[in-house]
Amino acid sequence: GVRHHIVKDFAESPNNHSWAYANKRWADGCNMDGFSIRVAKNELLRRPEKNKILITLSDGQPNGPSAYSGTRGENDVSEAVMETRKKGIHVFNIFFAEGKYERDNYLPSFQHMYRNKGIISCAPKDIGTELLRIVRRELK
């Protein structure tokens, strides 16, 4: 069973208590990222804005039931990213981890899943700077 939670809908007020909601829920090691990317793609396609951007956040590889983990999960994410980009939606991934070793170890998987494009791999404190740099470069 996959559960997809919307923390804040596009039309909601910024004061919708999303911070409290986000702090009371957690993924608990089962994230089928390809599924979530497809749900977000479909939601974005219903939006009227001309330019659409999807930013995913991850602290590791997709990890679902045994049939979804590893290469199958990575391939599913890669396919979902390609489907989303073909619809004209820019996809960026923020892969965060405190340690450089962990980021370097998982980077090849993220390069495969996101097709060497739109990947921000850094310590959490550097996310803002890196995201801005990558978005500026890729949206030229």
Side-chain angles (χ1 to χ4, degrees):
V2 175
R3 289 177 293 186
H4 180 80
H5 299 282
I6 296 173
V7 175
K8 180 185 168 304
D9 198 355
F10 286 103
E12 288 182 49
S13 161
N15 298 321
N16 74 336
H17 307 289
S18 59
W19 179 254
Y21 177 90
N23 282 309
K24 292 182 181 179
R25 296 201 178 262
W26 54 90
D28 199 23
C30 189
N31 54 301
M32 295 181 71
D33 296 348
F35 175 84
S36 295
I37 289 168
R38 288 180 180 96
V39 169
K41 172 194 73 177
N42 292 335
E43 291 173 358
L44 285 168
L45 288 173
R46 290 192 297 269
R47 299 290 307 160
E49 292 80 11
K50 180 182 173 186
N51 297 312
K52 296 171 176 46
I53 296 174
L54 171 60
I55 300 173
T56 63
L57 299 139
S58 182
D59 65 348
Q61 296 172 300
N63 179 17
S66 61
Y68 189 81
S69 297
T71 303
R72 182 167 181 205
E74 290 178 18
N75 288 341
D76 184 54
V77 170
S78 180
E79 289 170 15
V81 167
M82 287 186 336
E83 293 165 12
T84 303
R85 288 181 176 152
K86 283 180 183 175
K87 293 291 185 178
I89 299 171
H90 300 279
V91 181
F92 299 94
N93 172 263
I94 298 173
F95 168 47
F96 57 92
E98 287 293 341
K100 184 174 175 2
Y101 173 79
E102 183 181 9
R103 289 191 310 272
D104 290 347
N105 189 41
Y106 285 117
L107 187 58
S109 295
F110 281 87
Q111 289 170 328
H112 166 69
M113 290 186 289
Y114 290 88
R115 303 293 177 151
N116 289 318
K117 184 176 179 184
I119 301 168
I120 294 95
S121 177
C122 59
K125 69 179 183 58
D126 298 323
I127 289 173
T129 303
E130 284 299 300
L131 178 60
L132 186 58
R133 183 181 68 79
I134 297 291
V135 168
R136 281 183 176 156
R137 181 184 76 207
E138 294 197 12
L139 294 184
K140 283 185 178 182

XYZ file of all heavy atoms in Angstrom, residues 7-96:
714
model
N 0.927 17.802 1.868
C 1.122 18.633 3.052
C 0.435 19.972 2.865
O -0.219 20.483 3.752
C 2.630 18.817 3.354
C 2.840 19.773 4.508
C 3.261 17.465 3.661
N 0.587 20.550 1.686
C -0.033 21.853 1.398
C -0.410 21.872 -0.071
O 0.431 21.693 -0.934
C 0.930 22.996 1.702
C 0.344 24.365 1.417
C 1.405 25.441 1.622
C 0.968 26.757 1.080
N 0.589 26.752 -0.311
N -1.680 22.082 -0.343
C -2.145 22.172 -1.717
C -1.781 23.544 -2.280
O -1.533 24.491 -1.529
C -3.658 21.964 -1.766
C -4.162 21.621 -3.151
O -3.360 21.632 -4.098
O -5.365 21.330 -3.282
N -1.743 23.665 -3.596
C -1.362 24.919 -4.238
C -2.221 26.096 -3.774
O -1.725 27.187 -3.572
C -1.478 24.799 -5.760
C -0.389 23.980 -6.374
C -0.637 22.682 -6.782
C 0.885 24.493 -6.554
C 0.367 21.918 -7.352
C 1.892 23.744 -7.116
C 1.627 22.450 -7.527
N -3.519 25.888 -3.646
C -4.436 26.987 -3.363
C -4.561 27.315 -1.876
O -5.208 28.290 -1.509
C -5.819 26.655 -3.919
N -3.938 26.542 -1.016
C -4.076 26.767 0.419
C -3.290 27.971 0.891
O -2.259 28.325 0.338
C -3.589 25.541 1.201
C -4.518 24.361 1.092
C -4.017 23.210 1.918
O -3.684 23.400 3.096
O -3.956 22.100 1.370
N -3.787 28.553 1.949
C -3.109 29.666 2.604
C -1.755 29.190 3.127
O -1.611 28.029 3.527
C -3.975 30.146 3.769
O -3.201 30.893 4.676
N -0.763 30.080 3.152
C 0.533 29.661 3.702
C 0.452 29.320 5.189
O 1.330 28.683 5.724
C 1.448 30.863 3.461
C 0.579 31.981 3.071
C -0.747 31.438 2.646
N -0.609 29.708 5.843
C -0.761 29.419 7.272
C -1.664 28.211 7.497
O -2.581 28.247 8.291
C -1.340 30.641 7.986
C -0.428 31.833 7.873
O 0.786 31.685 7.957
N -0.993 32.997 7.657
N -1.408 27.126 6.799
C -2.276 25.953 6.904
C -1.744 24.899 7.870
O -2.171 23.769 7.836
C -2.498 25.326 5.532
C -1.272 24.577 5.045
O -0.158 24.850 5.465
N -1.475 23.628 4.156
N -0.799 25.258 8.685
C -0.219 24.350 9.685
C 0.559 23.199 9.046
O 0.680 22.131 9.618
C -1.298 23.817 10.629
C -2.119 24.904 11.247
N -1.609 25.747 12.202
C -3.380 25.304 11.005
C -2.544 26.626 12.542
N -3.628 26.379 11.828
N 1.070 23.406 7.833
C 1.806 22.338 7.163
C 3.070 21.957 7.931
O 3.492 20.814 7.898
C 2.143 22.720 5.725
O 2.916 23.893 5.682
N 3.680 22.915 8.629
C 4.883 22.605 9.404
C 4.561 21.583 10.487
O 5.261 20.599 10.657
C 5.459 23.881 10.008
C 6.678 23.633 10.827
C 6.778 23.648 12.188
C 7.990 23.299 10.363
N 8.051 23.359 12.585
C 8.826 23.139 11.487
C 8.534 23.126 9.102
C 10.158 22.812 11.376
C 9.881 22.795 9.017
C 10.667 22.649 10.141
N 3.477 21.794 11.196
C 3.087 20.852 12.249
C 2.766 19.489 11.648
O 3.156 18.450 12.176
C 1.893 21.391 13.034
N 2.066 19.470 10.529
C 1.724 18.214 9.861
C 2.990 17.463 9.457
O 3.130 16.268 9.714
C 0.869 18.497 8.629
C 0.529 17.266 7.826
C -0.624 16.542 8.099
C 1.363 16.828 6.800
C -0.938 15.414 7.365
C 1.059 15.700 6.064
C -0.093 14.998 6.352
O -0.390 13.880 5.628
N 3.908 18.171 8.830
C 5.136 17.535 8.347
C 5.957 16.966 9.500
O 6.605 15.936 9.354
C 5.970 18.531 7.549
N 5.934 17.617 10.637
C 6.713 17.147 11.781
C 6.071 15.986 12.524
O 6.709 15.364 13.359
C 6.980 18.303 12.743
C 8.080 19.184 12.239
O 9.150 18.706 11.891
N 7.816 20.476 12.157
N 4.825 15.668 12.234
C 4.153 14.553 12.918
C 4.053 13.315 12.043
O 3.521 12.316 12.452
C 2.768 14.998 13.373
C 2.859 16.026 14.477
C 1.519 16.438 14.962
C 1.712 17.480 16.058
N 0.476 17.966 16.579
N 4.547 13.365 10.820
C 4.518 12.223 9.909
C 5.944 11.931 9.451
O 6.774 12.815 9.389
C 3.648 12.520 8.699
C 2.211 12.734 9.064
C 1.370 12.506 7.828
N -0.016 12.659 8.128
C -0.830 11.646 8.379
N -0.392 10.419 8.355
N -2.096 11.862 8.642
N 6.204 10.704 9.079
C 7.515 10.346 8.572
C 7.375 9.180 7.608
O 6.413 8.430 7.654
C 8.482 10.007 9.703
C 7.959 8.953 10.624
C 8.130 7.606 10.519
C 7.155 9.157 11.790
N 7.486 6.960 11.540
C 6.885 7.883 12.340
C 6.649 10.278 12.418
C 6.126 7.728 13.475
C 5.887 10.109 13.559
C 5.642 8.848 14.075
N 8.357 9.044 6.703
C 8.285 8.028 5.654
C 8.522 6.629 6.202
O 7.967 5.669 5.726
C 9.289 8.331 4.561
N 9.389 6.495 7.182
C 9.662 5.215 7.824
C 10.204 4.166 6.859
O 9.825 3.018 6.904
C 8.417 4.713 8.542
C 8.768 3.671 9.590
O 9.924 3.643 10.056
O 7.893 2.869 9.939
N 11.086 4.591 5.934
C 11.833 3.648 5.126
C 11.103 3.030 3.946
O 11.596 2.086 3.372
N 9.955 3.501 3.578
C 9.269 2.923 2.426
C 8.810 4.053 1.519
O 7.755 4.637 1.718
C 8.077 2.083 2.878
S 7.360 1.152 1.513
N 9.642 4.384 0.553
C 9.315 5.473 -0.361
C 9.415 4.985 -1.801
O 10.473 4.648 -2.283
C 10.221 6.688 -0.127
C 11.680 6.345 -0.178
O 12.163 5.519 0.573
N 12.401 6.973 -1.094
N 8.269 4.952 -2.451
C 8.209 4.570 -3.860
C 8.222 5.862 -4.669
O 7.182 6.395 -5.058
C 6.981 3.711 -4.111
C 7.058 2.380 -3.369
S 5.637 1.312 -3.642
C 5.910 0.827 -5.331
N 9.426 6.384 -4.876
C 9.603 7.711 -5.464
C 8.998 7.840 -6.856
O 8.465 8.888 -7.209
C 11.083 8.073 -5.511
C 11.701 8.179 -4.128
O 10.953 8.200 -3.138
O 12.935 8.245 -4.048
N 9.063 6.811 -7.668
C 8.479 6.870 -9.001
C 6.985 7.143 -8.925
O 6.445 7.947 -9.697
N 6.308 6.491 -8.001
C 4.872 6.712 -7.802
C 4.599 8.163 -7.434
O 3.735 8.813 -8.024
C 4.354 5.771 -6.705
C 2.912 5.998 -6.352
C 1.900 5.408 -7.090
C 2.566 6.794 -5.275
C 0.569 5.615 -6.765
C 1.244 7.021 -4.943
C 0.234 6.421 -5.688
N 5.347 8.676 -6.473
C 5.138 10.053 -6.013
C 5.433 11.066 -7.118
O 4.740 12.078 -7.240
C 6.005 10.342 -4.790
O 5.575 9.533 -3.706
N 6.446 10.807 -7.927
C 6.769 11.710 -9.039
C 5.612 11.727 -10.039
O 5.224 12.786 -10.535
C 8.097 11.303 -9.703
C 9.262 11.625 -8.754
C 8.281 11.995 -11.056
C 10.589 11.028 -9.169
N 5.030 10.569 -10.306
C 3.901 10.520 -11.246
C 2.675 11.249 -10.692
O 1.964 11.933 -11.435
C 3.579 9.072 -11.585
C 4.625 8.436 -12.480
C 4.284 6.981 -12.812
N 5.304 6.413 -13.668
C 6.335 5.682 -13.228
N 6.480 5.425 -11.929
N 7.227 5.211 -14.077
N 2.410 11.099 -9.404
C 1.283 11.819 -8.793
C 1.517 13.325 -8.912
O 0.628 14.075 -9.323
C 1.087 11.406 -7.314
C 0.114 12.338 -6.604
C 0.612 9.964 -7.224
N 2.725 13.772 -8.577
C 3.046 15.204 -8.662
C 2.960 15.700 -10.105
O 2.460 16.795 -10.363
C 4.436 15.462 -8.090
N 3.428 14.886 -11.062
C 3.345 15.254 -12.480
C 1.892 15.496 -12.871
O 1.559 16.521 -13.485
C 3.931 14.154 -13.358
C 3.705 14.365 -14.857
C 4.000 13.119 -15.662
C 2.883 12.126 -15.414
N 2.949 10.900 -16.137
N 1.009 14.586 -12.506
C -0.403 14.729 -12.858
C -1.030 15.951 -12.200
O -1.846 16.644 -12.818
C -1.166 13.460 -12.502
C -0.760 12.294 -13.388
O -0.300 12.475 -14.508
N -0.904 11.091 -12.876
N -0.632 16.243 -10.962
C -1.146 17.431 -10.290
C -0.639 18.705 -10.977
O -1.401 19.653 -11.179
C -0.741 17.423 -8.818
C -1.442 16.337 -8.025
C -0.929 16.200 -6.601
O 0.009 16.919 -6.204
O -1.473 15.348 -5.872
N 0.627 18.717 -11.358
C 1.191 19.892 -12.032
C 0.580 20.104 -13.418
O 0.384 21.240 -13.844
C 2.713 19.770 -12.143
C 3.478 20.020 -10.848
C 4.932 19.578 -10.995
C 3.398 21.480 -10.450
N 0.268 19.032 -14.112
C -0.324 19.171 -15.444
C -1.706 19.815 -15.392
O -2.144 20.409 -16.379
C -0.397 17.804 -16.146
C 0.953 17.245 -16.603
C 0.794 15.826 -17.123
C 1.597 18.147 -17.649
N -2.373 19.727 -14.256
C -3.681 20.374 -14.104
C -3.562 21.856 -13.754
O -4.554 22.566 -13.737
C -4.499 19.657 -13.021
C -4.960 18.283 -13.448
C -5.995 17.703 -12.505
N -5.510 17.475 -11.163
C -4.971 16.337 -10.730
N -4.838 15.325 -11.544
N -4.579 16.215 -9.480
N -2.350 22.312 -13.477
C -2.126 23.714 -13.108
C -2.084 24.600 -14.353
O -1.614 24.169 -15.405
C -0.811 23.863 -12.340
C -0.729 23.088 -11.043
C -1.613 23.646 -9.983
N -1.350 25.064 -9.830
C -2.184 25.921 -9.272
N -3.333 25.525 -8.813
N -1.877 27.198 -9.182
N -2.522 25.859 -14.242
C -2.552 26.740 -15.405
C -1.205 27.398 -15.745
O -1.044 27.918 -16.841
C -3.567 27.818 -14.993
C -3.445 27.884 -13.495
C -3.182 26.458 -13.077
N -0.247 27.364 -14.843
C 1.021 28.051 -15.086
C 1.741 27.456 -16.290
O 1.727 26.246 -16.512
C 1.931 27.965 -13.853
C 1.452 28.734 -12.654
C 0.379 28.021 -11.849
O 0.118 26.829 -12.085
O -0.219 28.666 -10.971
N 2.408 28.323 -17.037
C 3.157 27.885 -18.213
C 4.406 27.092 -17.806
O 4.697 26.038 -18.357
C 3.556 29.102 -19.047
C 4.340 28.770 -20.282
C 4.753 30.013 -21.041
C 5.677 29.650 -22.175
N 6.198 30.829 -22.844
N 5.181 27.623 -16.869
C 6.411 26.979 -16.414
C 6.132 26.177 -15.152
O 5.628 26.715 -14.171
C 7.492 28.023 -16.132
C 7.873 28.766 -17.393
O 8.124 28.144 -18.419
N 7.887 30.075 -17.335
N 6.497 24.916 -15.200
C 6.239 24.025 -14.073
C 7.554 23.400 -13.609
O 8.359 22.960 -14.421
C 5.250 22.945 -14.477
C 3.870 23.502 -14.847
C 3.016 22.416 -15.446
C 1.619 22.827 -15.768
N 1.386 24.043 -16.440
N 7.733 23.360 -12.305
C 8.946 22.805 -11.706
C 8.547 21.818 -10.620
O 7.686 22.109 -9.791
C 9.825 23.911 -11.091
C 10.325 24.858 -12.186
C 11.003 23.309 -10.336
C 11.090 26.054 -11.648
N 9.180 20.659 -10.627
C 8.992 19.652 -9.580
C 10.330 19.469 -8.881
O 11.341 19.175 -9.527
C 8.535 18.321 -10.190
C 8.495 17.111 -9.256
C 7.549 17.354 -8.085
C 8.104 15.873 -10.023
N 10.343 19.664 -7.575
C 11.552 19.466 -6.777
C 11.301 18.288 -5.846
O 10.357 18.306 -5.059
C 11.908 20.723 -5.960
C 12.137 21.908 -6.903
C 13.143 20.458 -5.091
C 12.332 23.232 -6.193
N 12.135 17.261 -5.974
C 12.034 16.113 -5.081
C 13.143 16.204 -4.043
O 14.216 16.745 -4.316
C 12.147 14.779 -5.850
O 13.443 14.689 -6.452
C 11.074 14.668 -6.932
N 12.890 15.673 -2.872
C 13.866 15.658 -1.784
C 14.120 14.211 -1.389
O 13.175 13.427 -1.278
C 13.323 16.406 -0.564
C 13.012 17.861 -0.816
C 11.725 18.244 -0.139
C 14.152 18.697 -0.322
N 15.386 13.864 -1.177
C 15.687 12.492 -0.822
C 16.928 12.406 0.054
O 17.885 13.139 -0.137
C 15.909 11.663 -2.089
O 16.151 10.326 -1.746
N 16.892 11.469 0.973
C 18.071 11.190 1.788
C 18.623 9.803 1.471
O 19.401 9.246 2.221
C 17.760 11.328 3.275
C 16.760 10.301 3.762
O 16.137 9.621 2.911
O 16.579 10.183 4.971
N 18.205 9.247 0.358
C 18.697 7.936 -0.054
C 17.965 7.427 -1.271
O 17.242 8.162 -1.943
N 18.125 6.149 -1.563
C 17.536 5.549 -2.748
C 16.077 5.166 -2.493
O 15.660 5.027 -1.353
C 18.337 4.316 -3.136
C 19.755 4.674 -3.544
C 20.594 3.438 -3.737
O 20.762 2.664 -2.810
N 21.123 3.267 -4.931
N 15.300 4.945 -3.589
C 13.929 4.477 -3.396
C 13.953 3.149 -2.647
O 14.841 2.325 -2.865
C 13.392 4.306 -4.812
C 14.514 4.484 -5.737
C 15.657 5.057 -4.991
N 13.001 2.975 -1.780
C 13.000 1.794 -0.929
C 11.559 1.414 -0.633
O 10.913 2.011 0.202
C 13.765 2.093 0.367
C 13.780 0.925 1.302
O 13.502 -0.195 0.909
N 14.092 1.187 2.553
N 11.070 0.430 -1.364
C 9.706 -0.033 -1.144
C 9.722 -1.508 -0.821
O 10.709 -2.036 -0.313
N 8.633 -2.171 -1.146
C 8.619 -3.626 -0.978
C 9.786 -4.241 -1.748
O 10.320 -3.621 -2.666
C 7.274 -4.035 -1.588
C 6.455 -2.796 -1.609
C 7.418 -1.651 -1.721
N 10.164 -5.453 -1.423
C 11.364 -6.061 -2.007
C 11.370 -6.016 -3.532
O 12.416 -5.898 -4.146
C 11.532 -7.496 -1.527
O 10.406 -8.272 -1.923
N 10.210 -6.090 -4.158
C 10.150 -6.049 -5.615
C 10.448 -4.653 -6.157
O 10.675 -4.490 -7.343
C 8.776 -6.510 -6.095
N 10.456 -3.643 -5.295
C 10.673 -2.269 -5.752
C 12.054 -1.745 -5.409
O 12.519 -0.802 -6.008
C 9.612 -1.342 -5.142
C 9.639 0.049 -5.732
C 9.032 0.315 -6.948
C 10.287 1.093 -5.080
C 9.063 1.579 -7.507
C 10.316 2.363 -5.627
C 9.710 2.603 -6.836
O 9.742 3.850 -7.384
N 12.743 -2.326 -4.483
C 14.044 -1.834 -4.042
C 15.118 -2.069 -5.096
O 14.924 -2.805 -6.057
C 14.443 -2.518 -2.731
O 13.517 -2.185 -1.732
N 16.258 -1.414 -4.899
C 17.406 -1.623 -5.770
C 17.197 -1.123 -7.179
O 16.601 -0.075 -7.411
N 17.671 -1.905 -8.146
C 17.643 -1.506 -9.548
C 16.225 -1.247 -10.044
O 15.995 -0.295 -10.790
C 18.306 -2.589 -10.421
O 19.643 -2.793 -9.950
C 18.343 -2.179 -11.880
N 15.265 -2.067 -9.640
C 13.892 -1.863 -10.104
C 13.350 -0.511 -9.648
O 12.723 0.213 -10.421
C 12.986 -2.988 -9.625
C 11.583 -2.819 -10.148
C 10.741 -4.046 -9.956
N 9.424 -3.800 -10.517
C 8.347 -4.418 -10.142
N 8.417 -5.372 -9.236
N 7.180 -4.149 -10.676
N 13.603 -0.159 -8.401
C 13.169 1.139 -7.896
C 13.858 2.277 -8.613
O 13.220 3.268 -8.989
N 15.158 2.164 -8.815
C 15.910 3.204 -9.527
C 15.409 3.367 -10.963
O 15.251 4.491 -11.447
C 17.404 2.877 -9.526
C 18.050 3.014 -8.177
C 19.529 2.631 -8.203
O 20.120 2.597 -9.296
O 20.068 2.358 -7.122
N 15.156 2.255 -11.644
C 14.655 2.328 -13.021
C 13.262 2.961 -13.064
O 12.956 3.711 -13.992
C 14.646 0.947 -13.668
C 16.033 0.452 -13.999
O 16.988 1.230 -14.084
N 16.170 -0.852 -14.156
N 12.429 2.659 -12.086
C 11.096 3.249 -12.040
C 11.181 4.765 -11.863
O 10.471 5.522 -12.528
C 10.270 2.629 -10.918
C 8.853 3.148 -10.909
O 8.171 3.072 -11.966
O 8.410 3.659 -9.855
N 12.070 5.212 -10.980
C 12.263 6.659 -10.789
C 12.755 7.294 -12.083
O 12.257 8.334 -12.518
C 13.238 6.950 -9.623
C 13.614 8.425 -9.579
C 12.638 6.504 -8.304
N 13.723 6.658 -12.735
C 14.262 7.179 -13.985
C 13.159 7.323 -15.034
O 13.061 8.341 -15.725
C 15.375 6.260 -14.500
O 15.906 6.750 -15.698
N 12.308 6.310 -15.155
C 11.201 6.365 -16.116
C 10.212 7.474 -15.748
O 9.727 8.201 -16.625
C 10.493 5.020 -16.172
C 11.320 3.938 -16.833
C 10.718 2.546 -16.670
O 9.532 2.433 -16.293
O 11.447 1.565 -16.909
N 9.903 7.612 -14.466
C 8.971 8.652 -14.021
C 9.539 10.042 -14.300
O 8.811 10.947 -14.726
C 8.664 8.491 -12.531
N 10.831 10.221 -14.085
C 11.479 11.503 -14.353
C 11.424 11.806 -15.853
O 11.089 12.922 -16.259
C 12.938 11.510 -13.831
C 13.721 12.700 -14.374
C 12.944 11.506 -12.307
N 11.726 10.822 -16.687
C 11.683 11.035 -18.145
C 10.261 11.375 -18.601
O 10.070 12.287 -19.408
C 12.205 9.804 -18.880
C 13.708 9.641 -18.768
S 14.459 8.293 -19.750
C 13.175 7.138 -20.024
N 9.253 10.651 -18.080
C 7.859 10.933 -18.432
C 7.490 12.369 -18.059
O 6.821 13.066 -18.824
C 6.918 9.980 -17.679
C 7.002 8.540 -18.072
C 6.324 7.614 -17.059
O 5.584 8.104 -16.165
O 6.528 6.387 -17.149
N 7.931 12.791 -16.894
C 7.602 14.129 -16.394
C 8.277 15.198 -17.233
O 7.648 16.192 -17.617
C 8.016 14.244 -14.911
O 7.338 13.203 -14.181
C 7.642 15.589 -14.328
N 9.536 15.012 -17.545
C 10.254 15.987 -18.380
C 9.669 16.057 -19.786
O 9.616 17.129 -20.379
C 11.742 15.659 -18.407
C 12.428 15.975 -17.083
C 13.901 15.676 -17.114
N 14.521 16.086 -15.859
C 15.606 15.519 -15.346
N 16.219 14.534 -15.991
N 16.098 15.942 -14.206
N 9.226 14.929 -20.323
C 8.611 14.933 -21.657
C 7.335 15.769 -21.681
O 6.940 16.245 -22.739
C 8.313 13.504 -22.116
C 9.532 12.762 -22.591
C 9.184 11.357 -23.040
C 10.438 10.614 -23.447
N 10.158 9.208 -23.786
N 6.707 15.942 -20.543
C 5.492 16.760 -20.445
C 5.837 18.235 -20.234
O 4.956 19.062 -20.038
C 4.602 16.273 -19.300
C 4.014 14.900 -19.538
C 3.000 14.950 -20.664
C 2.313 13.605 -20.827
N 1.298 13.642 -21.866
N 7.132 18.571 -20.266
C 7.552 19.963 -20.145
C 7.750 20.449 -18.719
O 7.891 21.640 -18.477
N 7.776 19.531 -17.774
C 7.977 19.887 -16.369
C 9.461 19.724 -16.039
O 10.051 18.677 -16.305
C 7.119 19.003 -15.450
C 5.632 19.196 -15.778
C 7.413 19.306 -13.977
C 4.710 18.214 -15.087
N 10.049 20.761 -15.464
C 11.450 20.699 -15.038
C 11.515 19.910 -13.732
O 10.756 20.188 -12.796
C 12.013 22.102 -14.812
C 11.968 22.957 -16.032
N 12.920 22.879 -17.030
C 11.078 23.891 -16.438
C 12.625 23.730 -17.983
N 11.507 24.362 -17.653
N 12.416 18.942 -13.673
C 12.548 18.099 -12.480
C 13.925 18.312 -11.875
O 14.945 18.189 -12.554
C 12.354 16.601 -12.811
C 12.477 15.755 -11.549
C 11.009 16.367 -13.486
N 13.927 18.626 -10.585
C 15.164 18.783 -9.821
C 15.098 17.861 -8.613
O 14.026 17.632 -8.057
C 15.337 20.231 -9.350
C 15.427 21.218 -10.473
C 14.303 21.878 -10.933
C 16.637 21.469 -11.091
C 14.375 22.777 -11.977
C 16.728 22.365 -12.151
C 15.587 23.018 -12.587
N 16.244 17.337 -8.226
C 16.308 16.485 -7.042
C 17.307 17.050 -6.056
O 18.443 17.357 -6.419
C 16.727 15.057 -7.392
C 16.965 14.243 -6.135
O 18.090 14.091 -5.687
N 15.903 13.758 -5.542
N 16.866 17.185 -4.830
C 17.770 17.560 -3.743
C 18.077 16.289 -2.970
O 17.209 15.717 -2.311
C 17.130 18.615 -2.815
C 16.833 19.889 -3.608
C 18.049 18.896 -1.630
C 16.052 20.927 -2.824
N 19.311 15.816 -3.114
C 19.785 14.654 -2.371
C 20.659 15.181 -1.246
O 21.729 15.717 -1.494
C 20.570 13.719 -3.289
C 21.341 12.654 -2.554
C 20.743 11.921 -1.548
C 22.655 12.405 -2.870
C 21.454 10.940 -0.857
C 23.376 11.427 -2.199
C 22.767 10.697 -1.192
N 20.182 15.054 -0.038
C 20.916 15.637 1.080
C 21.394 14.563 2.050
O 20.731 13.559 2.266
C 20.054 16.672 1.814
C 18.754 16.123 2.316
C 18.639 15.609 3.589
C 17.636 16.125 1.497
C 17.447 15.098 4.040
C 16.436 15.625 1.945
C 16.333 15.099 3.219
